Amino acid sequence: MNPQEKDRNWLNETFFTTEEAAAFLGISKQALLSLAKRNKIASSKKGKMMLFHRIDLEARRERQTALRDKYRPYDK
């Protein structure tokens, strides 16, 4: 594996596009963009592309799960 492929793999494992991040969190793309706009989740923008870091998404998913358990206990 050459260095470019290693870098590409690292980027693919570490960062998510908007569509991938929304699917990871189980929310709509519009809801994700709203969270990013309100600074509830960190994002990086390069041109028209917005990227989300895996660590931030995992932390958000944990908080999201805790909130769902607290406010929607009947969904279990």
Side-chain angles (χ1 to χ4, degrees):
M1 183 179 288
N2 67 34
Q4 280 184 329
E5 289 176 353
K6 284 183 182 179
D7 288 345
R8 190 173 295 120
N9 286 340
W10 178 81
L11 285 171
N12 287 335
E13 292 171 2
T14 307
F15 292 96
F16 286 80
T17 63
T18 305
E19 292 82 12
E20 293 168 339
F24 182 79
L25 293 175
I27 60 176
S28 70
K29 185 177 165 183
Q30 185 176 3
L32 177 67
L33 294 174
S34 176
L35 288 171
K37 185 177 181 180
R38 293 180 291 143
N39 295 321
K40 299 290 183 181
I41 190 166
S43 64
S44 299
K45 195 167 185 180
K46 180 68 175 174
K48 292 184 179 183
M49 180 178 252
M50 189 174 271
L51 296 174
F52 299 87
H53 197 281
R54 175 182 289 277
I55 293 171
D56 296 330
L57 293 176
E58 289 172 350
R60 176 64 193 190
R61 186 165 61 176
E62 287 177 19
R63 285 192 308 271
Q64 189 172 293
T65 302
L67 288 172
R68 283 182 181 158
D69 290 345
K70 179 178 179 182
Y71 292 108
R72 298 176 75 181
Y74 49 83
D75 283 351
K76 290 183 178 183

